Amino acid sequence: MKIVSAEFVKSAFEEEHWPRDAMPEVAFLGRSNVGKSSLINSLLGVRGLARTSSTPGRTQSLNFFLINNRFRFVDLPGYGYARVPRIIKDSWGEMATNYLAKRPQLVLSIQIVDSRHEPTTLDVQLNEWLAAHAKPRVVVATKSDKLSNNELRKSLERVKRALAAERVIVYSATTGKGREQVWRAIEEAMA
Ligand code: GTP
Ligand code: MG
């Protein structure tokens, strides 16, 4: 994908603030601090478009980005900060699953996990929710630059098993590894 333009559109806390046109959207989902915003910046080759931080919970609202005047990326808040490990019922669940369930524009959910860690209960619940609602999904294991090849291989098996994923794209926002594969998945979803 050639990126001709990428711009921040808006931050929405309420449903009535979601963009109203029919452009396709790709959502980025994962627990707090997993690297969702970094993945967006790295895919677009723009530093700092989506705000990143080492403090978990940086992204609080739905953030919409317009790419090539043709489709949007949606940066969702991270989950895993609520005490109750029930993804649908906490405040994350309300905002995010409301968006995921109601949005006809949504063509792909990118479910992001940390290569270094076992998927959490919430990651598993999100996967189950997406599957139950027949939402197209691709799993991306990011921060792969922090692991050796051997560790990475083990981690991938674990992620595949926990999230019932046939395929997991290994990513690093630091090195750009996996970028082409994620773009291909996005292009296929939009075709
Ligand atoms: P919230 O919006 O708070 O949920 O976080 P997020 O999922 O958007 O994570 P963010 O992109 O802000 O990244 C969190 C931290 O992880 C930052 O310090 C990033 O620099 C770091 N990080 C993200 N991706 C990578 C990666 O691929 N490799 C390395 N080494 N660090 C990364
Ligand atoms: Mg973020």
Side-chain angles (χ1 to χ4, degrees):
M1 174 83 57
K2 185 162 187 286
I3 309 303
V4 178
S5 60
E7 60 194 87
F8 173 71
V9 180
K10 60 158 61 173
S11 230
F13 287 90
E14 311 280 346
E15 190 174 331
E16 64 242 43
H17 297 144
W18 298 348
R20 290 171 198 270
D21 61 70
M23 272 188 217
E25 291 178 349
V26 176
F28 292 78
L29 305 165
R31 67 178 177 72
S32 239
N33 211 236
V34 73
K36 297 172 295 296
S37 302
S38 300
L39 174 58
I40 289 177
N41 291 333
S42 139
L43 285 172
L44 297 173
V46 187
R47 223 173 262 257
L49 187 62
R51 290 171 77 182
T52 63
S53 163
S54 51
T55 315
R58 188 76 194 77
T59 310
Q60 293 283 346
S61 49
L62 304 191
N63 290 289
F64 293 87
F65 300 89
L66 176 62
I67 325 297
N68 292 356
N69 257 317
R70 197 163 71 81
F71 59 97
R72 280 187 291 264
F73 279 180
V74 188
D75 191 9
L76 279 93
Y79 51 78
Y81 248 56
R83 273 160 303 157
V84 191
R86 280 185 310 181
I87 204 154
I88 313 303
K89 299 221 167 127
D90 65 13
S91 60
W92 181 88
E94 265 170 49
M95 180 157 34
T97 55
N98 188 39
Y99 166 83
L100 295 170
K102 283 194 187 158
R103 196 72 168 157
Q105 291 93 327
L106 179 68
V107 295
L108 182 67
S109 294
I110 299 190
Q111 184 175 13
I112 305 151
V113 294
D114 189 323
S115 299
R116 298 168 299 176
H117 307 305
E118 176 101 36
T120 65
T121 307
L122 293 173
D123 293 327
V124 172
Q125 288 178 359
L126 174 60
N127 164 50
E128 286 167 356
W129 190 94
L130 292 171
H133 292 77
K135 300 292 176 188
R137 169 204 71 164
V138 63
V139 176
V140 170
T142 195
K143 305 196 187 184
S144 68
D145 53 281
K146 297 195 174 194
L147 290 184
S148 70
N149 285 337
N150 193 33
E151 290 170 320
L152 204 52
R153 204 165 38 239
K154 279 188 211 147
S155 159
L156 278 185
E157 286 316 309
R158 212 164 52 186
V159 172
K160 281 183 182 171
R161 217 174 317 119
L163 300 183
E166 277 172 36
R167 173 174 173 236
V168 173
I169 301 176
V170 175
Y171 204 89
S172 166
T174 307
T175 68
K177 178 183 174 140
R179 196 167 177 269
E180 290 310 313
Q181 285 164 279
V182 176
W183 272 121
R184 215 170 307 132
I186 293 170
E187 280 163 15
E188 280 166 19
M190 285 195 299

